[in-house]
Amino acid sequence: MVKLSPEALEARREYRRQYEREYRRRWRQKPENRLKEKEYERRYWERKVQQSKA
């Protein structure tokens, strides 16, 4: 295992973050995925509301 400097680790993390952000942005541009995301968000909030009522 290669020991990386903190700067290298940070750079790698930053690259990964940007890659993921870009990937999600592209993914969201497809209409069928946007619908999936809306559906997911709706379910998420419904769960949140149920948890707060309990």
Side-chain angles (χ1 to χ4, degrees):
M1 182 83 190
V2 181
K3 193 106 170 80
L4 290 170
S5 69
E7 294 84 33
L9 285 171
E10 188 48 49
R12 185 191 274 174
R13 235 177 273 131
E14 189 50 44
Y15 173 79
R16 184 110 195 100
R17 261 200 298 271
Q18 279 175 357
Y19 172 81
E20 284 175 358
R21 195 178 299 131
E22 186 57 30
Y23 180 86
R24 279 197 292 269
R25 193 181 65 76
R26 281 215 199 93
W27 186 86
R28 272 197 199 105
Q29 281 172 346
K30 296 193 178 128
E32 65 272 16
N33 290 338
R34 198 139 65 250
L35 282 173
K36 272 185 221 161
E37 197 174 32
K38 279 206 173 83
E39 180 60 28
Y40 172 81
E41 274 178 19
R42 193 177 59 77
R43 281 201 304 262
Y44 170 83
W45 286 113
E46 280 173 4
R47 259 202 315 279
K48 272 280 217 231
V49 167
Q50 250 131 29
Q51 282 171 357
S52 66
K53 282 179 185 168

